[in-house]
């Protein structure tokens, strides 16, 4: 029944319109959780891709390069080789329809709307690593290993790398011209693109990059690309001046050897000549080019993979500059993606710092709590709660009474400098935070015990002054190992030496 070209065209138009209505219906639903929002975006992206592919097929049909559509329309009008016979075409079509239903008597009409409604409940498969936590954090550990094991990198911690990787303009351009750096930047850009496509499937990345490339070409021509600015003639960062040596100033091999092995190696590489050997051999090889054109040099002097005598210095320098331009473009794209993912990068930094202060058991417990919280949010997605005053939610998932909100001061913000200027909303949350890991870790870094004496103390200077007064009052300025020497058990609990020894003797630790 759908074998005719016109029927295929009609069905394609119907599919496009149905998918458009499905997208509108899907976007009208407000996803309750981040996970559901990501599923919704990928569903819409898949439907858009289907519409694009179907539309491309329709364009091919309407182009009618093989005149199949034209012939079919003519056949429906009864045009044959002998003339026009409308009734004959009508009865032939009727006969074809009856023959189809005779062969398929049990055929039923399939409601396509039911099939498309099931797409609204579909959960697309999105691949995320455990470190990425379903798109909340970046996983740059492989790239971090490449960075710290490279010549252009530095031996830093992963948390510090998250601050550095988005600023490649701080690396000298001489280190950027290496193949190792180019491969690193390409891998970094590839990962960021893949992550961005998974977390922001509705963004048109091709349009973003096309606009960026146009701006980059203009900035490169004006020498305004950050980290690649053009300098004056004295600037040795110019690739042509840095690699080329004016041989008119040198007449002997000994004079040319004073330039240095690295400078000779770069100059030979620009000309496509071999760069190995001793300093004297390099100088002799380079001095050959002073009176002998490259075209007449023996092929044994040229490196493998070079263009041989056909390649001259200007061509090599031009290719070197183009290579650096490609690296600069990759950097520009990477910076743009970092700007688009700035919020995710900040969340990744906070997560890394937080995990450094947690034990394995605490991290597993926190992960289970997050999964439970997501399930709870998805169970309550159908309930729309009226909350114009934006009051906090109670244990039953409903806004708490306004009088209770004012009584406990839940609208007040409390900041604790010891916790890194972290904000706590409400008096109850503020009082509870003194026993949480963040405040305990801050006090431990200050070398102050987290006792009841320091409740309500949020300023670092005040906490240190109070600790000095307590030490003076109790006369404990002298070192007392039994009370001040700290021991830590497997679970991360801190005890003084006396308490730890007593618990160990009782077999409790």
């Amino acid at each position: 029944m759908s074998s005719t070209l016109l029927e295929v065209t009609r069905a394609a138009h119907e599919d496009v319109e149905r998918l458009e209505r499905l997208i509108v219906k899907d976007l009208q639903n407000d996803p309750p959780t981040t996970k559901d929002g990501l599923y919704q975006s990928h569903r819409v992206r898949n439907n858009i891709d289907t519409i694009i592919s179907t539309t491309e097929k329709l364009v091919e049909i309407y182009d009618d390069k093989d005149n199949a559509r034209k012939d079919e329309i003519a056949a429906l009008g009864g045009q044959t080789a002998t003339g026009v016979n409308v009734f004959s075409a009508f009865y032939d079509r009727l006969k074809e329809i009856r023959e189809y239903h005779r062969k398929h008597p049990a055929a039923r009409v399939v409601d396509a709307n039911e099939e498309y409604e099931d797409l609204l409940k579909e959960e697309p498969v999105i691949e995320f690593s455990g470190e990425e936590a379903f798109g909340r954090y970046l996983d740059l550990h492989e790239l971090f290993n490449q960075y710290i094991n490279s010549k252009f990198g530095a031996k830093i911690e992963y948390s510090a790398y998250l601050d550095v990787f988005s600023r490649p303009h701080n690396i000298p351009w001489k280190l950027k011209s290496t193949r190792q750096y180019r491969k690193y930047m390409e891998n970094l850009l590839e990962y960021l693109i893949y992550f961005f496509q998974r977390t922001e499937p509705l963004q048109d990345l091709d349009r973003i990059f096309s606009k960026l490339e146009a701006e980059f070409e203009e900035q490169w021509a004006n020498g305004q690309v950050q980290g690649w600015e053009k300098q004056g003639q004295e600037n040795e960062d110019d690739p042509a001046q840095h690699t080329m040596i004016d041989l008119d100033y040198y007449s002997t091999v000994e004079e040319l050897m004073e330039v240095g092995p690295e400078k000779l190696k770069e100059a030979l590489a620009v000309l496509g000549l071999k760069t190995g050997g001793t300093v004297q051999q390099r100088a002799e090889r380079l001095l050959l080019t002073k009176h002998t054109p490259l075209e007449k040099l023996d092929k044994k002097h040229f490196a493998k993979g070079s263009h041989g005598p056909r390649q001259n210095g200007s061509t090599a320098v031009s290719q070197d500059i183009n290579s650096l331009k490609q690296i600069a473009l990759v950097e520009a794209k990477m910076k743009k993606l970092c700007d688009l993912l700035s919020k995710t990068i900040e969340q990744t930094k906070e997560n890394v710092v937080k995990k450094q202060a947690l034990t394995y058991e605490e991290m597993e417990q926190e992960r289970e709590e997050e999964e439970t919280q997501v399930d709870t949010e998805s169970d309550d997605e159908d309930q729309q709660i009226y909350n114009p005053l934006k009051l906090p939610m109670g244990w039953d998932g409903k806004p708490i009474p306004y009088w209770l909100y004012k009584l406990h001061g839940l609208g007040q913000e409390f900041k604790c400098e010891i916790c890194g200027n972290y904000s706590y909303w409400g008096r109850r949350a503020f009082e509870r935070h003194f026993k949480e890991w963040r405040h305990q870790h801050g006090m431990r870094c200050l070398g102050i015990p987290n006792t009841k004496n320091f409740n309500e103390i949020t300023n670092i200077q005040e906490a240190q002054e109070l600790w000095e007064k307590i030490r003076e009052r109790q006369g404990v300025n002298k070192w007392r190992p039994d009370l001040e020497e700290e021991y830590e058990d497997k679970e991360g609990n801190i005890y003084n030496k006396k308490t730890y020894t007593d618990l160990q003797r009782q077999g409790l630790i």
Side-chain angles (χ1 to χ4, degrees), residues 198-211:
R198 286 178 293 164
T199 55
E200 299 290 342
L202 297 181
Q203 290 282 355
D204 191 352
L205 198 57
D206 293 335
R207 181 179 298 178
I208 295 174
F209 279 165
S210 61
K211 183 179 179 181

Side-chain angles (χ1 to χ4, degrees), residues 123-166:
E123 293 184 356
V125 178
I126 313 172
E127 296 181 356
F128 285 106
S129 65
E131 185 71 20
E132 290 173 338
F134 214 81
R136 285 184 295 174
Y137 312 120
L138 292 172
D139 185 5
L140 298 173
H141 286 85
E142 292 185 7
L143 295 160
F144 166 68
N145 291 331
Q146 293 181 24
Y147 179 82
I148 61 176
N149 293 313
S150 62
K151 294 182 180 179
F152 57 84
K155 304 296 182 181
I156 57 177
E157 296 291 335
Y158 182 65
S159 56
Y161 172 73
L162 294 175
D163 292 323
V164 172
F165 83 96
S166 60

Side-chain angles (χ1 to χ4, degrees), residues 479-488 494-501:
W479 170 250
R480 294 189 298 174
D482 292 343
L483 298 178
E484 298 183 0
E485 188 174 0
E486 293 183 345
Y487 287 78
E488 182 177 355
I494 304 298
Y495 307 96
N496 57 34
K497 182 178 180 180
K498 181 179 179 182
T499 305
Y500 184 85
T501 306

Side-chain angles (χ1 to χ4, degrees), residues 169-185:
H169 52 269
N170 295 332
I171 301 175
W173 82 263
K174 184 178 179 181
L175 298 176
K176 295 180 181 180
S177 59
T178 60
R179 184 180 302 176
Q180 186 183 32
Y181 179 78
R182 179 166 187 166
K183 184 178 180 181
Y184 162 76
M185 288 303 303

Side-chain angles (χ1 to χ4, degrees), residues 208 355 370:
I208 295 174
K355 287 172 64 177
E370 290 177 354

